[in-house]
Amino acid sequence: GAGVSQSPSNKVTEKGKDVELRCDPISGHTALYWYRQRLGQGLEFLIYFQGNSAPDKSGLPSDRFSAERTGESVSTLTIQRTQQEDSAVYLCATSLSLAGVWGEQYFGPGTRLTVT
Amino acid sequence: RKEVEQDPGPFNVPEGATVAFNCTYSNSASQSFFWYRQDCRKEPKLLMSVYSSGNEDGRFTAQLNRASQYISLLIRDSKLSDSATYLCVVTSGTYKYIFGTGTRLKVLA
């Protein structure tokens, strides 16, 4: 497809379980971002990947959160031992940088995570 | 001070009205500026990029004022379908995109 895709679209899990969220970027977009958006709130930056460079993990809220991306392909965000406060929509976005100028970000439809 | 600030609204306007939103940013090194639209329970979608000379796309006009560090969005002839939250986005020097918390617009019939 032409856009960013994410799976699953919805995930309900019990407190304490691990979850894995997936993002398929737009082909050729070197930069990939994960954000979290709680209900009624703004976007919270989690992590950034750029090619094979070391990711910027500065936004990850705790060590229960981790993410991986191999090259410029799929990324997975893993949340271990989920807590109720992890309930949110997790959004993936990708973008392209040309000559150091950052273009538009394109978002996937998000994964709505509910921890019961 | 927040890096990007927006009036949260809501702005309630009648159909056909003109409405304007402003957004201020604190990092004078910011290079790229965007307006996104987010509908309820949906992902943000790019509305338009904002260029130094200002730009227009149909009923939407965006302006950038680097000296005063703000960007604006003007919507003319508002439609019911324009009801959404409008997010101001600024790049923070390198790869970080800083999102405002959004301005809610409700267009009333």
Side-chain angles (χ1 to χ4, degrees), chain A residues 54-106:
Chain A
D56 176 351
K57 304 179 182 181
S58 61
L60 294 178
S62 77
D63 59 7
R64 296 186 297 103
F65 287 72
S66 62
E68 290 185 355
R69 186 187 190 198
T70 305
E72 296 178 5
S73 62
V74 168
S75 175
T76 54
L77 176 69
T78 301
I79 309 173
Q80 295 179 306
R81 305 181 303 281
T82 52
Q83 303 294 313
Q84 287 186 328
E85 64 261 27
D86 300 334
S87 296
V89 176
Y90 290 82
L91 291 158
C92 175
T94 68
S95 65
L96 194 57
S97 165
L98 294 172
V101 177
W102 290 85
E104 304 89 352
Q105 279 196 322
Y106 293 90

Side-chain angles (χ1 to χ4, degrees), chain B residues 66-96:
Chain B
R66 283 192 185 272
S68 301
Q69 294 182 208
Y70 77 83
I71 67 174
S72 64
L73 177 68
L74 182 79
I75 306 175
R76 289 181 298 279
D77 188 23
S78 301
K79 311 287 183 198
L80 294 175
S81 56
D82 294 334
S83 297
T85 296
Y86 290 84
L87 304 173
C88 166
V89 184
V90 173
T91 58
S92 177
T94 54
Y95 54 83
K96 279 222 175 133

